[in-house]
Amino acid sequence: MTDWREYLHLLQTPCYVYAWAEILARLKLLKDNLPENVHLYYAVKANSNLHLLKALKDKVDGLDISSDGEFEQAVLAGYAPQTFSFAGPGKTDAEIELAINSGCGSLSAESLDDLARIENIAQKLGKTAYVSLRVNPADLVEKFALKMGGKPTQFGFDEEDLAGLPKLKQAQIIGLHVYAGTQCLDAAALTENLQNIFKLAKKIGAPLRQINVGGGFGVDYHIGQEPLDAVAVCQALRKEAQKWPQTKIVLELGRYLIAPAGEYLCRVINIKKSRGKTFVIVDGGMHQNISAAGNLGQIIKKNYKIRNLTNPESEKCKVELVGCLCTPLDTLAVNLELPAPRPGDVLCVANSGAYGYTASPLLFLGHPTPSEYLLQDGKITLIRRGRRLVEFN
Ligand SMILES: *Cc1c(COP(=O)(O)O)cnc(C)c1O
């Protein structure tokens, strides 16, 4: 974690700050432990900041894309569509056309209907569509916090339906894609998931140029959580990938690469006592960091790791950390132990680099969006300024 105190005078709160060195360290750990035929893809939806995408361009082998907006943002950042894996349960005709016309490396078909639509559009365009079959595997791996497989879902072919594939002319099946779940901190469970995917690939039997094994690497967001042993998972992947030397194996990661590099800084506006509790009210909130607020699918409220940057030495106290929105949902932490904050103090929420800016309802209540800064080689750069609602007109 970076000590942002020496940069505070340069930052406007609320803001996100990203530490480039942390991203590089994670990339290096993965690259050092993966064989050549494993290609590391970055999932743009975790954080689509243009400056970050540009910085990542020479560091990753491709991108996981979920919409035409992300597609355009990635092209703007200088990526070639040949390195894209485009997946999503509700791709529009326009998105499929965009992917086919630009020679998108892999377009995931998520059902028989989806495959038929891709085939029809490719025929109409007279071009080849490079398709991966996204499969919802029958085996459920329990340790994923967020599951996309092993149950009825909108994602991917049910494994049982793979037998009935139609004859195709313009859609060329190049690969298999399984993204069964995410936010897994258990290396053994991730390993089991990988082994299941390679078993499935064998069962399919057809020659596969590409196997996209998803990712699901989790982040130790909450106090008391242990980090994932990513090296162990990479070693397990290495073992499997070595049995497929001619195949491009894709590992697609979002949060693992970027969440720990990003921190969310907000400033205390008011301290309010109410019926024995201390409410610390900040100038940010769930409209800017929905993940920390736990409104992105968390069932039991757990606190992110939060520091008082301005007064790290003050006496510890228990507080309710809330944002400035007019809803009780806007709660960043409950019963949080923190060095006693005072109005004006800057608080720092760790592990906020992914699904903070991109997943939050930024326009809710019309506050300016948070600024974003990158710390690289000791220099801090504003990489997206905060915008006010009127500027979106
Ligand atoms: C969102 C997504 C990812 C990235 O997930 P993380 O949890 O951020 O690692 C990877 N692949 C697909 C298909 C996705 O939809």
Side-chain angles (χ1 to χ4, degrees):
M1 269 185 291
T2 312
D3 184 357
W4 297 104
R5 274 177 295 179
E6 62 174 299
Y7 302 102
L8 273 184
H9 64 289
L10 300 168
L11 307 175
Q12 182 154 22
T13 64
C15 66
Y16 281 95
V17 283
Y18 307 110
W20 182 242
E22 177 66 34
I23 298 172
L24 283 186
R26 292 186 160 246
L27 286 165
K28 182 172 178 345
L29 179 135
L30 296 167
K31 291 266 170 180
D32 284 352
N33 288 285
L34 290 171
E36 288 244 314
N37 64 330
V38 174
H39 295 233
L40 184 60
Y41 278 30
Y42 170 62
V44 175
K45 75 172 178 300
N47 190 323
S48 54
N49 181 290
L50 184 62
H51 192 105
L52 278 179
L53 282 183
K54 283 181 183 167
L56 278 170
K57 196 174 97 64
D58 300 325
K59 307 287 176 195
V60 295
D61 303 305
L63 298 175
D64 165 61
I65 299 277
S66 328
S67 73
D68 51 2
E70 287 185 2
F71 198 110
E72 277 176 35
Q73 179 85 331
V75 169
L76 207 59
Y79 290 79
Q82 287 68 31
T83 65
F84 294 173
S85 162
F86 192 150
K91 297 178 287 296
T92 62
D93 287 2
E95 286 175 320
I96 294 172
E97 273 187 33
L98 172 68
I100 295 172
N101 271 329
S102 62
C104 178
S106 164
L107 188 56
S108 289
E110 314 236 355
S111 65
L112 279 174
D113 283 344
D114 206 21
L115 185 58
R117 278 176 65 226
I118 294 170
E119 167 70 14
N120 286 340
I121 293 171
Q123 281 190 17
K124 192 186 83 187
L125 298 175
K127 291 196 169 150
T128 305
Y130 303 103
V131 175
S132 291
L133 298 174
R134 180 164 176 187
V135 177
N136 163 17
D139 296 324
L140 179 73
V141 175
E142 285 294 342
K143 293 279 174 59
F144 289 107
L146 221 71
K147 298 180 191 73
M148 279 79 158
K151 59 178 184 180
T153 85
Q154 66 268 53
F155 308 107
F157 285 80
D158 289 347
E159 192 179 327
E160 308 82 275
D161 290 347
L162 280 180
L165 291 183
K167 280 238 170 329
L168 302 163
K169 275 206 254 161
Q170 296 295 104
Q172 185 185 335
I173 293 176
I174 59 142
L176 169 68
H177 180 196
V178 181
Y179 176 68
T182 189
Q183 183 45 22
C184 182
L185 289 170
D186 185 322
L190 283 167
T191 299
E192 187 192 328
N193 174 57
L194 286 170
Q195 289 163 346
N196 288 345
I197 294 168
F198 286 102
K199 260 188 234 153
L200 179 61
K202 240 185 175 163
K203 220 159 60 181
I204 286 179
L208 296 172
R209 264 183 14 222
Q210 177 170 317
I211 302 174
N212 183 334
V213 297
F217 288 30
V219 170
D220 48 320
Y221 291 110
H222 306 296
I223 295 163
Q225 274 181 328
E226 287 295 320
L228 168 70
D229 184 354
V231 172
V233 187
C234 288
Q235 281 165 354
L237 179 54
R238 171 189 285 275
K239 215 168 134 195
E240 295 295 325
Q242 275 166 349
K243 301 176 201 159
W244 298 76
Q246 305 304 323
T247 307
K248 171 177 167 181
I249 312 291
V250 173
L251 176 67
E252 44 178 20
L253 299 177
R255 71 186 69 220
Y256 179 81
L257 286 176
I258 209 105
E263 301 194 74
Y264 176 65
L265 271 53
C266 49
R267 200 175 288 271
V268 177
I269 297 181
N270 269 329
I271 314 269
K272 178 191 168 179
K273 303 257 184 199
S274 172
R275 303 209 162 108
K277 290 208 168 182
T278 303
F279 288 82
V280 173
I281 306 165
V282 295
D283 61 357
M286 79 161 218
H287 55 309
Q288 301 183 341
N289 195 346
I290 193 166
S291 294
N295 299 338
L296 205 64
Q298 201 184 95
I299 293 160
I300 302 163
K301 176 111 193 104
K302 288 188 234 150
N303 295 337
Y304 271 37
K305 296 163 187 173
I306 299 175
R307 291 171 285 155
N308 182 344
L309 276 186
T310 317
N311 273 307
E313 311 298 342
S314 66
E315 199 182 321
K316 293 247 171 88
C317 66
K318 285 275 176 81
V319 305
E320 311 300 302
L321 183 61
V322 300
C324 55
L325 301 188
C326 309
T327 162
L329 285 178
D330 190 9
T331 299
L332 289 172
V334 292
N335 203 23
L336 171 74
E337 194 177 70
L338 202 64
R342 298 173 306 191
D345 280 4
V346 174
L347 307 184
C348 178
V349 184
N351 290 319
S352 294
Y355 307 110
Y357 197 102
T358 52
S360 297
L362 292 170
L363 300 185
F364 188 37
L365 264 74
H367 293 285
T369 59
S371 306
E372 291 174 286
Y373 300 89
L374 180 68
L375 175 64
Q376 196 170 14
D377 304 325
K379 219 181 95 208
I380 202 119
T381 311
L382 177 68
I383 58 171
R384 179 157 48 189
R385 69 178 171 82
R387 284 180 175 79
R388 304 188 61 82
L389 188 56
V390 289
E391 296 176 69
F392 288 87
N393 289 342

